[in-house]
Amino acid sequence: MNSEKTSANAALSAVLAFGLWGVLPVYWKQLGHLGSDVALAQRVVWTLATVMPLLMLRGEWSGFLRSLRNARLLGAHAWSAFLLAINWGVFVWAAQHGRIIDCSLGYFINPLLNVLIGSRLLGERLTGLQKLSIFSAACGVLTQLVLVGRFPWIGLLLAGSFALYGLARRRSPLGSLPGLAMETVVGVPVALVYLIWAQQSSLPIWGTASAHDLLLIIGLGIITTIPLLGFAHGARQLPFALLGVLQFLAPTGQFLVGALLYHEPVGTGTLLSFGLIWLGVLQFCGDLWLRKPGKA
């Protein structure tokens, strides 16, 4: 019974994480007048303000302080912080400039790109279905380039930066929360310097300074940390196959938000492109299902 309850809680945590990531563009739209550069800097600062108390509550504070004295670890997380900043920056800019569907493209491709990186950099062997899924996604990207006439730089940059970020975090001994804390510690000096410069340049770093804007800005740390912790809990407890399927909730949510809530254009070429990528996703999920324990 306890095992079933643990699995149910883990599944709920994962659904919460991916569900929140799916509707996150709505949050960024509310801060559109802040500008993506200021919003990103504020996100770094308030994420640090959120994770520090959590480290203390979870009894990980002393271990985190010891890790800060490790120059090699700091260097590794400076690299992962750079990749995360690219990912966050592109996502925020795209969400605020009517390109939410392009974001969903990137996060549909991301798991397939992870598989490709695993085969090229980690020596993992690709199955036939995995190769087919990557080929289908590549055809989807090419279709967007040819039929839509637009290079999908947002989707590819989001997928590439997050895949490389995942690779960097995989090589770190730090857990999810201490790792995020170290990345924000590395990034917060840059964020603070930028915010000071922005304020001196008369940019509205607090938006309209209304209670609505201030709450949204302070909440940036919460909306960053909660889904991350939910994902980490689900990843530790759930079968990889189930987690692999659940992760597509996020780009599905983003696609629906962009198309239905903000009425971003979805032409025939875009649908065909996404259709090929969704085919790759189905092949990827099929491969995960076939490799579940107990399957032939």
Side-chain angles (χ1 to χ4, degrees):
M1 182 67 70
N2 286 337
S3 177
E4 290 179 2
K5 187 175 180 180
T6 300
S7 296
N9 288 338
L12 185 60
S13 295
V15 169
L16 175 65
F18 293 124
L20 283 173
W21 280 329
V23 299
L24 207 52
V26 177
Y27 199 98
W28 293 115
K29 281 282 192 181
Q30 298 298 309
L31 289 171
H33 56 286
L34 201 63
S36 55
D37 48 353
V38 172
L40 176 60
Q42 290 279 25
R43 183 179 193 177
V44 174
V45 172
W46 289 104
T47 296
L48 184 66
T50 303
V51 298
M52 288 304 173
L54 287 176
L55 284 171
M56 297 178 189
L57 288 172
R58 291 170 54 138
E60 298 181 80
W61 180 250
S62 58
F64 173 69
L65 289 179
R66 284 194 301 272
S67 68
L68 286 177
R69 295 194 289 268
N70 188 324
R72 187 168 175 270
L73 205 54
L74 272 172
H77 280 271
W79 168 240
S80 62
F82 173 71
L83 293 169
L84 194 58
I86 291 175
N87 189 270
W88 284 0
V90 172
F91 184 81
V92 173
W93 182 90
Q96 292 182 342
H97 288 80
R99 305 288 290 273
I100 298 171
I101 289 177
D102 289 343
C103 292
S104 74
L105 173 77
Y107 290 116
F108 273 120
I109 294 173
N110 176 246
L112 310 180
L113 190 57
N114 285 339
V115 171
L116 184 62
I117 286 177
S119 70
R120 292 290 176 261
L121 300 181
L122 302 177
E124 298 173 0
R125 300 188 64 178
L126 292 177
T127 66
L129 268 178
Q130 286 175 339
K131 292 178 182 177
L132 197 56
S133 69
I134 293 170
F135 176 75
S136 296
C139 287
V141 172
L142 184 62
T143 298
Q144 185 148 137
L145 180 61
V146 174
L147 294 185
V148 182
R150 185 169 69 187
F151 182 72
W153 66 271
I154 292 173
L156 292 178
L157 198 51
L158 285 173
S161 60
F162 203 65
L164 290 174
Y165 171 75
L167 179 64
R169 291 294 284 113
R170 179 190 179 106
R171 291 171 171 171
S172 169
L174 293 183
S176 177
L177 186 61
L180 179 62
M182 183 169 283
E183 287 156 3
T184 50
V185 163
V186 170
V188 82
V190 178
L192 286 173
V193 167
Y194 183 80
L195 287 173
I196 292 169
W197 172 85
Q199 188 168 34
Q200 291 177 343
S201 302
S202 301
L203 294 177
I205 67 170
W206 301 108
T208 61
S210 63
H212 175 265
D213 277 8
L214 292 176
L215 285 173
L216 285 175
I217 290 169
I218 294 170
L220 289 173
I222 297 171
I223 59 102
T224 298
T225 306
I226 286 179
L228 179 71
L229 295 181
F231 169 74
H233 179 60
R236 284 193 299 267
Q237 302 289 338
L238 295 176
F240 181 73
L242 178 57
L243 191 70
V245 173
L246 289 177
Q247 69 183 315
F248 292 109
L249 287 173
T252 300
Q254 292 163 10
F255 183 88
L256 293 175
V257 165
L260 301 180
L261 185 60
Y262 294 112
H263 308 291
E264 293 184 13
V266 183
T268 304
T270 300
L271 282 176
L272 181 57
S273 171
F274 268 89
L276 288 167
I277 291 167
W278 288 329
L279 177 61
V281 167
L282 286 174
Q283 291 160 347
F284 175 82
C285 293
D287 177 76
L288 291 177
W289 176 260
L290 291 174
R291 290 190 290 116
K292 281 180 64 176
K295 291 288 178 183

